[in-house]
Amino acid sequence: MGHTVKDKQKLLNRVRRIRGQLDAIERALEEEKGCMDVLQQITGCRGAMNGLLAVVLEDHIRTHLVDADAHDGNREDAKEQLINVVHSYFK
């Protein structure tokens, strides 16, 4: 996705924070922390992943569907990719 390059550092920072959250979940499990602590960390991580998905998905929609040139041959392909991503998210 070429359009993610302009926000590359912001996206990488989000991914690194998510990785930190996953590491915290692993540590909590290894240290046998309470269920509520682990569940809160999992929901926080899930929220962060949803946030990352929302940012990339919104940029994709704006770049390839809303602002795309009417003569862009990839427009149909972009629609199908978007539909596939949304379907896979709800599986």
Side-chain angles (χ1 to χ4, degrees), residues 8-60:
K8 178 180 175 180
Q9 193 57 51
K10 289 181 182 178
L11 295 173
L12 287 172
N13 290 342
R14 280 180 175 260
V15 169
R16 288 176 182 131
R17 283 192 299 271
I18 291 167
R19 184 179 300 122
Q21 289 175 304
L22 286 171
D23 290 343
I25 293 169
E26 183 178 5
R27 279 192 307 276
L29 291 171
E30 286 175 350
E31 296 170 5
E32 299 179 5
K33 297 282 184 173
C35 294
M36 288 307 299
D37 291 334
V38 174
L39 288 170
Q40 286 175 335
Q41 289 177 324
I42 291 170
T43 57
C45 189
R46 182 177 179 193
M49 286 294 292
N50 285 341
L52 176 63
L53 175 65
V55 167
V56 174
L57 192 56
E58 179 181 350
D59 193 41
H60 179 77

